[in-house]
Amino acid sequence: MNGNGLIGELIGGNGAVFALALFILLCVWLGVRIVPQSEKHVVERFGRLRAVLGPGINFIVPFLDRVAHRISVLERQLPNALQDAITADNVLVKVETSVFYRITEPEKTVYRIRDVDAAIATTVAGIVRSEIGKMELDQVQSNRAELIAKVREQVAAMVDDWGIEVTRAEILDVNLDEATRAAMLQQLNAERARRAQVTEAEGKKRAVELNADAELYAAEQQAKARRITAEAEAYATAAIAEAIQKNGLEAAQYQVALKQVEALTAVGQGAGKQTVIVPAQALDAFGDAFRMLKGRG
């Protein structure tokens, strides 16, 4: 018996076994599906949704079920987009937006929307135009966080039917045309000039108030000094009056002579005084003062 005959007998006798083994291997190959952690697989049976396979080992019915779509569940970023918008005060602005999203329910995404990126971009553009149209330019610039929150909330609500979760929606920049920018710069310069004038006026007002306070304080201090001087003079007058009452006319003459001596001394100490003319009565005053002092001693 030659080799070809032996092989023929083996195949003829075990052909059914080999065919069965190959069929089982093919069923295992087609029935076992290993899904990566970053994906979900949509399974169809005769063109109809059968199941969504999660990460790990999954089993399907061979020849009946097939994996129709392999959907990545990783977060995605849409390309930054520029769209025109008109504010409530009729200012044309160009808004740059950025959106991040991920697919959470592939069965909705596959059967309800064809181009996910284009649909989300169109939705974001419409919402941004609508929200900016409700605000004035100053509000758009100053309340950007509030605007972003509103855009994110509305976008998330609208794409929920597509099995999509919007993780981030940002307004990166709000650009103005040259004419509007020049007008805003002119307005800003005018506002700065007005503030400078107000500050200068407030400074002058404050200076006048402080000067008035200083003058009032000086007047009060002068009044106090005069009052103290008057009190001192009153005390001295009272002391002299008491001395005159006790010692009689001699004390009065002593005070008069002492004042005359002090006056002459002051005249002699004046600046540029080389010669002092002393009247005869002055010499008498000196003599009277010395005699009184001697008498007191």
Side-chain angles (χ1 to χ4, degrees):
M1 180 180 296
N2 55 20
N4 292 332
L6 180 61
I7 293 174
E9 289 181 2
L10 291 175
I11 294 176
N14 300 319
V17 176
F18 283 128
L20 180 60
L22 290 175
F23 179 75
I24 292 173
L25 291 176
L26 181 61
C27 290
V28 172
W29 175 260
L30 296 177
V32 177
R33 286 291 180 265
I34 299 177
V35 181
Q37 183 68 37
S38 60
E39 294 182 358
K40 287 185 179 181
H41 292 181
V42 178
V43 177
E44 293 180 351
R45 177 176 294 180
F46 302 117
R48 186 176 180 180
L49 176 64
R50 176 69 179 85
V52 177
L53 305 182
I57 298 178
N58 298 271
F59 299 95
I60 61 176
V61 178
F63 306 107
L64 298 181
D65 298 338
R66 71 181 185 92
V67 176
H69 305 280
R70 292 175 172 84
I71 305 299
S72 174
V73 295
L74 296 177
E75 188 173 8
R76 309 178 188 183
Q77 179 186 7
L78 290 180
N80 295 348
L82 279 175
Q83 50 257 358
D84 296 335
I86 299 177
T87 62
D89 49 353
N90 295 323
V91 178
L92 178 64
V93 296
K94 290 185 177 294
V95 183
E96 184 178 3
T97 58
S98 177
V99 178
F100 294 80
Y101 74 94
R102 65 187 184 92
I103 297 175
T104 57
E105 299 177 85
E107 64 275 16
K108 293 183 180 180
T109 307
V110 169
Y111 298 109
R112 293 186 180 181
I113 190 70
R114 180 181 296 275
D115 191 342
V116 178
D117 290 353
I120 296 178
T122 303
T123 301
V124 171
I127 293 174
V128 168
R129 291 192 182 100
S130 175
E131 290 299 324
I132 290 181
K134 301 175 184 177
M135 307 171 67
E136 295 184 354
L137 179 61
D138 293 340
Q139 295 175 333
V140 173
Q141 298 286 359
S142 59
N143 299 332
R144 186 175 297 184
E146 180 181 354
L147 177 61
I148 292 174
K150 290 182 179 179
V151 171
R152 185 185 298 118
E153 181 181 357
Q154 294 191 30
V155 171
M158 295 188 68
V159 302
D160 184 63
D161 291 339
W162 301 336
I164 296 172
E165 177 187 2
V166 175
T167 55
R168 291 179 59 191
E170 301 291 342
I171 295 179
L172 302 179
D173 198 6
V174 179
N175 299 315
L176 306 173
D177 56 7
E178 292 299 330
T180 304
R181 190 173 300 174
M184 290 185 63
L185 181 60
Q186 184 178 2
Q187 180 182 1
L188 180 61
N189 292 334
E191 179 65 18
R192 288 177 178 173
R194 184 189 67 81
R195 290 181 181 178
Q197 292 178 356
V198 171
T199 303
E200 183 179 1
E202 290 179 350
K204 291 181 178 179
K205 178 183 176 182
R206 184 59 180 166
V208 171
E209 291 177 352
L210 292 176
N211 188 27
D213 291 342
E215 292 179 355
L216 178 60
Y217 178 76
E220 291 176 351
Q221 295 302 317
Q222 290 177 2
K224 290 181 180 179
R226 290 177 181 176
R227 179 174 58 82
I228 294 173
T229 303
E231 291 177 354
E233 291 179 353
Y235 177 79
T237 303
I240 293 173
E242 183 179 358
I244 291 174
Q245 184 179 4
K246 290 182 179 180
N247 301 322
L249 183 59
E250 182 181 357
Q253 292 176 349
Y254 171 76
Q255 290 295 328
V256 172
L258 185 60
K259 291 295 183 182
Q260 290 178 348
V261 172
E262 291 176 354
L264 291 174
T265 303
V267 170
Q269 291 178 350
K273 301 294 183 178
Q274 301 296 329
T275 303
V276 179
I277 299 175
V278 181
Q281 292 81 358
L283 298 176
D284 296 338
F286 279 111
D288 294 340
F290 286 136
R291 285 196 300 273
M292 291 180 184
L293 290 173
K294 185 177 180 181
R296 286 178 177 271

